[in-house]
Amino acid sequence: MTQRVQRLAAYAVIVRGDQILLSRLSERVTQQELWSLPGGGVDHGEDPRDAVVREVHEETGLTAEVGDTAHVFSLHLPDTWRRGRRVDAHSVRIVYQGWVPPDAAEPRVVEVDGSTAEAAWQPLSAVLDGTLPTVSLVAQALAAYHPQRHQRVACYAYVERGDALLLTRISPLGVSPGTWALPGGGVEHGENPVDTVRRELKEECGLEGEIGELLAVHDVHFTGTAPSGRHEDFHGIHLVHRATVPDGIEPRVVEEGGTTDAVAWVPLTEILDGKVPVFDVVRAAIDAARAERH
């Protein structure tokens, strides 16, 4: 009777932009070029999520985070070879969505004499069209893969003074560093949106604000890489309130180590002619304010 062999393994799909992190199987596994998801066998008593983090580091040198949910794939090969002998093999593979920091170093193999010969970011297009030879698990995992959905509600202040608008600049810790935004941020759980605007004005500009009526509702929807490095299907909903701040007090950044590194009164002409890079919500708010005047 052919010996039965069952193996439990855990892997990660790690997508960044139009690339996916893969590991090439070593010659001890196959004589052909063949790429796989980073991952491997789950040790006895080991949590599968811990196994993924360990295996990704061993095979790519990168420290990954993994999500809470996974897809499970089963492969039964009743007549195959393992380590020089014929076996009835059954592999159960748990595949998580994973991510690494955007500024992570280039991948490199850490384990010595293991099953991985090389680690690299590979074009998704080459995987999907078959140009890059991969194990069947890669195609199966990508067919079931969806970017993490993330919806964020944020509130902002529209504060004019003469022909200038109060704006904050995104720090290197945020999305699109160097781009200017309206003072504001995410609504905390249970927080009144008006209180959000008031709080953010204080944190980002050092100003006590009087919050007025709702001026505009704006939204943005895109798929991209979050600051954490996670591949996200992002939907942002932006509520913009009119606001006023006291005269004679210059704005200053109060929050240290956050996503704002500068605050200023920016001439509207410099925003409208493109001299100052701003997010779309800024232009949408300006358009709404102009429409109110006509």
Side-chain angles (χ1 to χ4, degrees):
M1 180 178 179
T2 304
Q3 181 178 4
R4 291 182 174 183
V5 176
Q6 190 175 65
R7 180 174 184 262
L8 175 65
Y11 300 86
V13 176
I14 301 177
V15 173
R16 185 173 68 183
D18 58 358
Q19 297 181 311
I20 182 172
L21 183 64
L22 296 178
S23 58
R24 180 169 63 84
L25 300 179
S26 67
E27 291 183 359
R28 62 182 291 185
V29 179
T30 176
Q31 296 298 312
Q32 301 176 337
E33 179 187 4
L34 203 57
W35 294 79
S36 179
L37 300 173
V42 178
D43 293 337
H44 182 77
E46 185 178 31
D47 186 288
R49 296 176 75 252
D50 294 335
V52 173
V53 173
R54 173 180 55 77
E55 288 283 348
V56 169
H57 183 264
E58 291 176 359
E59 296 185 356
T60 72
L62 303 180
T63 300
E65 294 187 58
V66 294
D68 294 326
T69 59
H71 291 91
V72 178
F73 301 92
S74 176
L75 176 65
H76 183 206
L77 300 173
D79 187 12
T80 189
W81 289 88
R82 289 287 188 273
R83 298 179 179 178
R85 59 178 177 169
R86 191 182 299 276
V87 297
D88 178 352
H90 179 211
S91 296
V92 178
R93 287 85 61 88
I94 306 173
V95 181
Y96 295 87
Q97 182 187 132
W99 60 97
V100 297
D103 59 352
E106 285 301 305
R108 61 182 179 85
V109 180
V110 174
E111 65 179 350
V112 179
D113 296 329
S115 60
T116 300
E118 180 185 358
W121 292 100
Q122 295 287 1
L124 269 170
S125 58
V127 175
L128 296 173
D129 66 15
T131 304
L132 187 76
T134 62
V135 299
S136 60
L137 177 63
V138 177
Q140 291 175 321
L142 283 176
Y145 173 82
H146 298 284
Q148 176 70 18
R149 284 186 172 186
H150 179 56
Q151 189 177 67
R152 179 176 183 264
V153 179
C155 292
Y156 299 90
Y158 186 87
V159 188
E160 286 183 317
R161 178 175 289 175
D163 294 326
L165 186 63
L166 184 65
L167 296 182
T168 60
R169 189 177 65 189
I170 303 300
S171 76
L173 297 177
V175 178
S176 299
T179 304
W180 291 78
L182 298 170
V187 179
E188 296 179 356
H189 183 79
E191 184 178 37
N192 187 291
V194 171
D195 293 335
T196 301
V197 180
R198 188 177 294 110
R199 172 177 56 78
E200 292 284 350
L201 267 172
K202 184 68 174 179
E203 292 176 359
E204 295 186 346
C205 307
L207 299 173
E208 299 287 349
E210 290 293 329
I211 313 304
E213 73 277 6
L214 183 67
L215 172 66
V217 177
H218 173 266
D219 83 312
V220 61
H221 182 206
F222 62 89
T223 299
T225 302
S228 65
R230 190 169 195 174
H231 190 213
E232 285 187 348
D233 177 357
F234 179 82
H235 183 210
I237 302 171
H238 310 137
L239 310 178
V240 183
H241 283 262
R242 283 192 174 276
T244 58
V245 296
D247 292 329
I249 302 176
E250 287 302 310
R252 61 184 179 85
V253 179
V254 175
E255 185 180 37
E256 297 183 1
T259 56
T260 298
D261 63 7
V263 57
W265 292 101
V266 180
L268 283 164
T269 54
E270 294 185 12
I271 299 172
L272 296 174
D273 65 16
K275 288 183 179 179
V276 175
V278 298
F279 288 109
D280 289 344
V281 64
V282 178
R283 295 183 181 277
I286 293 173
D287 291 343
R290 286 186 161 189
E292 280 190 351
R293 299 189 185 105
H294 294 87

